[in-house]
């Protein structure tokens, strides 16, 4: 049963595809019918070419460069075979005209857009879009001005994507936003024959008041961190001093050596000072007599 159902589905698909092919062929046949007036104009064009030969070669021979393509229309209809070029091609006077399309990668700057982010912060964002014409025929037939249409679509897409992100995400995730914007633009401009190659966010500007508040917040955070670090240093220093005092309390000789080391460092820094070392034990004698 499953195999029979799959064969039936496959047959339906093949019939549908064959119907589509037949429909396309009939449309091509209908488009090839230019009518009596069309044939008269075509024959007249041939006669003009023959009558004015070889001067007519100056008007019928055209050349497009390697990075260009020519989309030819005959009596208002798109000529079969797609775009012509690069190299030499011929056009018939009076009944054919052509549009030259550049296939090189071009760019345009998106003007700074004032965008309200998801956390209600106003930011100014500008970007640059790199694109090229991948299908010259579609870029002529399906859209009036491919560059202007892509620019307007890029502006709207930039505002829509940034409006769904927080300010911190816009500042830190520029590459992700650029990839998302490129995917949306490439999908929308495919039917126009445009391929978006790259989208880059050039700059994100914040209001001056917001910049000041962020600077104050960052300064306060740094001050708090500095105070915590200083307090930790004082705590560690007090512990070290307590341990050193405990060690010196158990060994009077160590206290005397420390006293002599301090005198040596003082005498090395201030040479004009005369120091007379006095043993600490002598002070104990005076203290004992005073207590009595």
């Amino acid at each position: 049963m499953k195999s029979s159902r799959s064969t039936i589905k496959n047959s339906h698909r093949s019939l549908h595809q064959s119907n589509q092919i037949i429909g396309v062929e009939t449309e091509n046949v209908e488009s090839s019918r230019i009518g009596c007036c069309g044939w008269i104009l075509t024959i007249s064009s041939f006669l003009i070419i023959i009558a004015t030969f070889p001067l007519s070669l100056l008007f019928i021979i055209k050349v497009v460069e390697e990075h260009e393509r020519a989309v030819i229309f005959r009596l208002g209809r798109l000529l079969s075979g797609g775009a012509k070029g690069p190299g030499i091609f011929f056009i018939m006077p009076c009944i054919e005209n052509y549009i030259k399309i550049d296939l090189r990668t071009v760019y345009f700057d998106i003007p700074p857009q004032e965008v309200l982010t998801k956390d209600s912060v106003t930011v100014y964002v500008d970007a640059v879009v790199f694109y090229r014409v991948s299908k010259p025929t579609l870029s002529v037939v399906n859209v009036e001005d491919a560059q202007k249409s892509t620019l307007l679509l890029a502006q709207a897409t930039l505002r829509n994507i940034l409006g769904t992100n927080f300010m911190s995400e816009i500042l830190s995730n520029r590459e992700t936003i650029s990839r998302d914007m490129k995917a949306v633009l490439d999908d929308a401009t495919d039917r126009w024959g445009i391929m978006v190659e790259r989208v880059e966010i050039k700059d994100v500007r914040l209001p001056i008041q917001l910049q000041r508040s962020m600077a104050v917040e960052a300064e306060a955070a740094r001050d708090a961190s500095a105070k915590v670090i200083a307090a930790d240093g004082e705590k560690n220093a007090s512990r070290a001093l307590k341990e050193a005092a405990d060690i010196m309390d158990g060994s009077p000789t160590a206290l005397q050596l420390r006293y002599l080391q301090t005198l040596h460092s003082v005498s090395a820094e201030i040479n004009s000072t005369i120091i007379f070392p006095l043993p600490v034990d002598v002070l104990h004698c005076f203290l004992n007599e005073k207590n009595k």
Side-chain angles (χ1 to χ4, degrees), residues 167-234:
M167 182 192 66
S168 58
E169 295 176 351
I170 295 175
L171 296 175
S172 60
N173 298 330
R174 293 191 182 184
E175 295 182 358
T176 303
I177 296 173
S178 298
R179 287 196 300 267
D180 295 341
M181 186 175 174
K182 176 186 176 300
V184 174
L185 285 177
D186 200 12
D187 186 35
T189 58
D190 184 52
R191 62 183 301 273
W192 297 344
I194 302 295
M195 186 177 71
V196 178
E197 295 182 346
R198 193 176 184 87
V199 178
E200 290 293 339
I201 296 177
K202 295 171 58 178
D203 189 19
V204 178
R205 288 177 293 175
L206 303 177
I208 298 177
Q209 295 180 354
L210 183 60
Q211 293 180 11
R212 292 176 180 174
S213 62
M214 292 177 65
V216 171
E217 182 181 0
E219 185 178 358
R222 287 193 297 268
D223 291 341
S225 178
K227 290 180 180 179
V228 170
I229 294 173
D232 291 337
E234 292 291 338

Side-chain angles (χ1 to χ4, degrees), residues 88-286:
I88 299 174
F89 65 96
F90 300 91
I91 63 169
M92 300 178 64
C94 303
I95 64 172
E96 288 185 353
N97 63 332
Y98 71 97
I99 299 176
K100 191 181 295 185
I101 303 298
D102 195 340
L103 301 183
R104 291 177 294 183
T105 300
V106 295
Y107 72 94
F108 60 82
D109 292 326
I110 301 178
Q113 302 292 311
E114 184 178 357
V115 182
L116 185 65
T117 62
K118 193 174 182 179
D119 49 353
S120 301
V121 177
T122 302
V123 295
Y124 298 88
V125 183
D126 56 346
V128 59
V129 178
F130 297 88
Y131 74 97
R132 65 181 179 86
V133 178
S134 59
K135 300 175 183 178
T137 304
L138 296 181
S139 66
V140 175
V141 176
N142 289 349
V143 63
E144 181 180 0
D145 190 343
Q147 183 176 3
K148 186 176 180 180
S149 301
T150 306
L151 173 60
L152 295 176
L153 182 62
Q155 292 180 4
T157 305
L158 180 63
R159 297 174 67 89
N160 293 334
I161 291 179
L162 295 180
T164 59
N165 290 274
F166 293 98
M167 182 192 66
S168 58
E169 295 176 351
I170 295 175
L171 296 175
S172 60
N173 298 330
R174 293 191 182 184
E175 295 182 358
T176 303
I177 296 173
S178 298
R179 287 196 300 267
D180 295 341
M181 186 175 174
K182 176 186 176 300
V184 174
L185 285 177
D186 200 12
D187 186 35
T189 58
D190 184 52
R191 62 183 301 273
W192 297 344
I194 302 295
M195 186 177 71
V196 178
E197 295 182 346
R198 193 176 184 87
V199 178
E200 290 293 339
I201 296 177
K202 295 171 58 178
D203 189 19
V204 178
R205 288 177 293 175
L206 303 177
I208 298 177
Q209 295 180 354
L210 183 60
Q211 293 180 11
R212 292 176 180 174
S213 62
M214 292 177 65
V216 171
E217 182 181 0
E219 185 178 358
R222 287 193 297 268
D223 291 341
S225 178
K227 290 180 180 179
V228 170
I229 294 173
D232 291 337
E234 292 291 338
K235 183 178 179 181
N236 295 330
S238 62
R239 288 180 180 177
L241 290 174
K242 181 178 182 301
E243 292 177 359
D246 293 338
I247 294 173
M248 290 181 182
D249 188 28
S251 178
T253 306
L255 181 61
Q256 188 68 26
L257 292 175
R258 179 60 180 167
Y259 175 70
L260 294 175
Q261 185 180 4
T262 303
L263 292 178
H264 176 72
S265 62
V266 171
S267 62
E269 293 178 359
I270 307 175
N271 296 326
S272 61
T273 303
I274 300 174
I275 300 173
F276 295 95
L278 182 66
V280 180
D281 295 336
V282 175
L283 298 176
H284 285 291
C285 297
F286 287 106

